[in-house]
Amino acid sequence: MALARIARSNLRKSGGAFRSYAHENIMFNERTYTTKCSLLSNLDSKLDGNFSQISRSKEQNYMNFSMRGIAGTPYNQHASANAQRVEEESESELEDDQIRYAGLEATKPGEKPRVVVLGTGWAACRFLKGLDTKIYDVVCISPRNHMVFTPLLASTCVGTLEFRSVAEPVGRIQDAISKDPNSYFFLASCTGIDTNKHEVYCEVASNGGLSREPYQFKVAYDKLVIAAGAKPLTFGIKGVKENAFFLREVNHAQEIRKRLLLNLMLSENPGTSEEEKKRLLHCVVIGGGPTGVEFSGELSDFILSDVRERYTHVKDYIHVTLIEANEILSSFDVSLRQYAIKHLTKSGVRLMRGVVKEVHPQKLILSDGTEVPYGLLVWSTGVGPSEFVKKLNFPSSPGGRIGVDQWMRVPSVEDVFALGDCAGFLEQTGRPVLPALAQVAERQGKFLVELFNKIGKQNGGKALSANGIQLGDPFVYKHLGSMASVGGYKALVDLRQSKDANGLSLAGFFSWLMWRSAYLTRVLSWRNRFYVAVNWGTTFVFGRDNSRI
């Protein structure tokens, strides 16, 4: 910028003399001009598409200014007007480059290697927690700045827990992000990866908070960990995205809670017909997996303990229906499934078997033509690969996830790893694709961070420097069991290592104590454990909070 200002100042001072000067010096020294053109050509060949280095952009703009402002000035034009035009163009182009092409460049010799982590789910946060920041700088990129403790998310929908109890800020999980000068968290979504340049390209949509939308930047990496999660499966059914609520994020739980309380209050308004009351207070849950069953159990507890006391005018209208195409809790032992069906039915949850054909704003239609009116619709039918994962040019595992080997590496590219719900073993590894469970993602994160710390101690943290380092034993997953709450201080505990194996299976109040104890100890921080314990105690003594905030 300083060089550009000096050039502009000289152009203004020259005024009319510029014209005679140009006439006497028709051409620049040929050698100087050729050198500048060569430099510019080299820069252009290195800059790729939309992303370039800021310092190079400045140099290029200054060179363009020099050549356009002097060598390209026609003799019959007024020089000061042309100089003003060049000044405006130069400043505009430089501002565009600075705004759009900002980013972190590749690490230099002597600097710590940079690990870039995409995501803040179970796998990413377990990796971040264990990473040795004396060896690495870390950059985390995600559209949310916290981890969600998903096993307790259903409890927040009805007020059993408050939302902050299940959200852990990333800066608390890995404090280097908040304290170290070269470690960062960026609130953004990754839009592309250039494995040849070791760069990720990101985009921020701030809803008007920034001067330029969308704001784009790049980050160079030495090692890249993709833990971007998955998206809810809708199976292409018409109307699901527009009318149903999902249950994977804190904001999903907030919207469900608002809708539930709104429907309760609207149903009490004078003039509301009997049919409309039944529709408003009909809560429909699609999907009989652990999330769907636990949410149905929480709803039944809310109805029996709180609605009947605080909404006495409409207490007989509210109902819960759980729709599943096959068996509920299909991964659990048969005896536990039967217990869950019996208990949910006793608690007032209606179980239906069917396949949803399409969803409308106030009703859904099953494949057999049955119409089911609803006031609240929660969709919980599993997850699949996100759009970001689908467009990556990486090998795929069965199901469309990013294909990885036994050490969570992405084949055919250097320094790229993937784990969690977005990754799966390639067919040639001979291993099955693991289920999208929190315990799978957490244990993959633990395995990979131990591998990274080992590589870093052997000076393999820099890009393309880990070749020849022994990686040790591959990742092996052993299932620790499954748990699910069904409401009414009852839960299921299945400690079998696989669906066909033998093992301990429990159901009832003691299982519920095990369920609560296990999840309380798995909450990441002591702060959140305190929040959860206090929330449970407050709900037990005073009931759930029904304020619609």
Side-chain angles (χ1 to χ4, degrees):
M1 286 297 291
L3 293 173
R5 291 193 189 100
I6 293 171
R8 290 196 293 270
S9 177
N10 290 336
L11 284 172
R12 291 193 187 98
K13 290 177 181 178
S14 64
F18 181 91
R19 184 174 174 181
S20 60
Y21 176 84
H23 182 72
E24 292 173 3
N25 299 277
I26 296 177
M27 296 291 290
F28 273 94
N29 179 280
E30 182 176 354
R31 180 178 180 183
T32 303
Y33 181 78
T34 304
T35 302
K36 286 187 176 181
C37 288
S38 176
L39 285 170
L40 184 58
S41 176
N42 290 336
L43 283 170
D44 285 339
S45 66
K46 293 179 181 178
L47 299 177
D48 179 28
N50 293 331
F51 296 90
S52 59
Q53 186 176 346
I54 296 175
S55 60
R56 294 176 177 176
S57 298
K58 291 181 180 179
E59 185 177 353
Q60 180 180 350
N61 277 315
Y62 177 67
M63 291 180 179
N64 287 341
F65 171 79
S66 301
M67 288 186 287
R68 287 182 299 182
I70 301 176
T73 303
Y75 299 151
N76 59 347
Q77 290 185 3
H78 194 278
S80 60
N82 190 57
Q84 182 66 26
R85 177 180 61 80
V86 173
E87 175 185 353
E88 293 174 355
E89 289 180 1
S90 179
E91 288 182 343
S92 176
E93 289 177 6
L94 182 57
E95 288 174 1
D96 284 349
D97 288 343
Q98 286 177 326
I99 293 172
R100 189 177 182 187
Y101 306 140
L104 299 180
E105 299 302 323
T107 55
K108 299 176 182 178
E111 295 180 341
K112 290 190 289 187
R114 181 186 299 138
V115 177
V116 173
V117 181
L118 304 181
T120 51
W122 280 87
C125 288
R126 182 60 185 86
F127 177 88
L128 288 169
K129 183 179 180 180
L131 189 66
D132 189 346
T133 52
K134 294 180 181 178
I135 301 175
Y136 296 100
D137 288 325
V138 59
V139 175
C140 181
I141 303 171
S142 175
R144 71 180 189 195
N145 72 336
H146 59 272
M147 173 193 165
V148 180
F149 193 80
T150 48
L152 297 178
L153 189 59
S155 298
T156 65
C157 297
V158 295
T160 305
L161 296 176
E162 290 302 319
F163 301 111
R164 66 178 179 176
S165 301
V166 299
E168 189 72 41
V170 178
R172 288 182 176 270
I173 296 171
Q174 176 51 267
D175 59 1
I177 290 175
S178 305
K179 298 178 181 179
D180 289 4
N182 295 318
S183 294
Y184 304 92
F185 170 80
F186 296 140
L187 189 71
S189 298
C190 183
T191 57
I193 301 171
D194 189 331
T195 56
N196 294 323
K197 292 186 175 182
H198 276 54
E199 292 178 345
V200 296
Y201 305 130
C202 306
E203 185 173 293
V204 182
S206 63
N207 297 323
L210 296 172
S211 57
R212 180 169 183 152
E213 296 284 352
Y215 182 87
Q216 297 173 324
F217 62 92
K218 68 174 181 179
V219 178
Y221 63 85
D222 291 295
K223 297 285 188 289
L224 175 64
V225 177
I226 306 173
K231 69 172 185 179
L233 281 176
T234 63
F235 306 101
I237 298 172
K238 180 181 177 182
V240 174
K241 292 181 180 180
E242 295 80 5
N243 301 299
F245 292 98
F246 303 107
L247 188 52
R248 290 184 57 79
E249 306 285 350
V250 171
N251 65 296
H252 295 162
Q254 291 172 328
E255 293 301 319
I256 290 171
R257 185 170 176 176
K258 287 181 180 180
R259 175 63 64 85
L260 179 61
L261 295 175
L262 176 64
N263 288 353
L264 280 165
M265 289 181 279
L266 290 177
S267 64
E268 290 191 314
N269 287 343
T272 305
S273 65
E274 298 286 312
E275 184 178 353
E276 184 67 3
K277 287 181 181 179
K278 291 179 180 179
R279 185 194 67 79
L280 283 170
L281 299 180
H282 188 200
C283 304
V284 178
V285 182
I286 308 296
T291 301
V293 168
E294 288 189 341
F295 179 67
S296 299
E298 289 285 351
L299 272 177
S300 67
D301 281 355
F302 177 62
I303 293 168
L304 295 173
S305 303
D306 298 87
V307 172
R308 294 191 182 280
E309 291 183 5
R310 303 178 188 181
Y311 297 93
T312 56
H313 301 97
V314 294
K315 64 180 182 180
D316 296 327
Y317 294 96
I318 187 166
H319 295 286
V320 180
T321 298
L322 175 61
I323 302 176
E324 167 60 41
N326 299 301
E327 294 283 342
I328 69 167
L329 300 174
S330 58
S331 63
F332 282 70
D333 182 71
V334 175
S335 61
L336 295 182
R337 295 205 300 265
Q338 292 173 348
Y339 180 91
I341 292 171
K342 182 179 178 180
H343 179 78
L344 289 172
T345 303
K346 185 179 178 180
S347 301
V349 178
R350 181 189 176 196
L351 301 178
M352 289 182 64
R353 182 171 293 185
V355 177
V356 178
K357 181 181 179 182
E358 56 185 69
V359 178
H360 299 279
Q362 296 183 359
K363 67 178 181 180
L364 60 87
I365 300 175
L366 301 181
S367 57
D368 62 1
T370 303
E371 294 187 359
V372 182
Y374 67 86
L376 173 67
L377 177 63
V378 177
W379 194 272
S380 177
T381 58
V383 295
S386 64
E387 296 303 320
F388 167 69
V389 169
K390 288 179 181 178
K391 72 179 183 180
L392 292 176
N393 190 24
F394 292 154
S396 296
S397 70
R401 302 186 192 182
I402 300 172
V404 296
D405 65 9
Q406 298 96 318
W407 291 271
M408 315 312 297
R409 299 176 299 182
V410 179
S412 74
V413 292
E414 292 286 344
D415 300 322
V416 180
F417 301 77
L419 66 167
D421 294 351
C422 70
F425 290 123
L426 290 163
E427 285 186 289
Q428 50 263 41
T429 64
R431 299 188 176 194
V433 176
L434 298 174
L437 299 175
Q439 63 173 295
V440 174
E442 183 182 27
R443 294 177 70 185
Q444 286 178 340
K446 180 181 179 181
F447 169 84
L448 189 61
V449 76
E450 291 174 355
L451 179 61
F452 266 55
N453 292 339
K454 177 182 177 180
I455 291 173
K457 290 176 182 177
Q458 299 181 51
N459 298 319
K462 286 285 189 177
L464 307 174
S465 64
N467 294 328
I469 295 179
Q470 294 295 322
L471 301 181
D473 296 332
F475 174 74
V476 177
Y477 173 71
K478 292 183 180 179
H479 189 61
L480 299 178
S482 303
M483 295 187 291
S485 170
V486 292
Y489 305 108
K490 302 292 191 297
L492 314 175
V493 175
D494 189 350
L495 299 181
R496 299 175 304 160
Q497 289 192 356
S498 67
K499 188 175 181 179
D500 300 322
N502 296 322
L504 183 64
S505 298
L506 301 172
F509 178 74
F510 181 70
S511 299
W512 177 81
L513 290 177
M514 291 179 62
W515 174 82
R516 281 210 164 179
S517 301
Y519 283 143
L520 184 61
T521 58
R522 299 305 297 167
V523 174
L524 287 181
S525 68
W526 282 104
R527 184 195 72 154
N528 277 28
R529 291 171 193 166
F530 176 78
Y531 284 159
V532 170
V534 169
N535 287 167
W536 279 341
T538 303
T539 299
F540 180 77
V541 176
F542 301 106
R544 296 168 178 83
D545 180 18
N546 64 345
S547 303
R548 186 176 184 270
I549 301 174

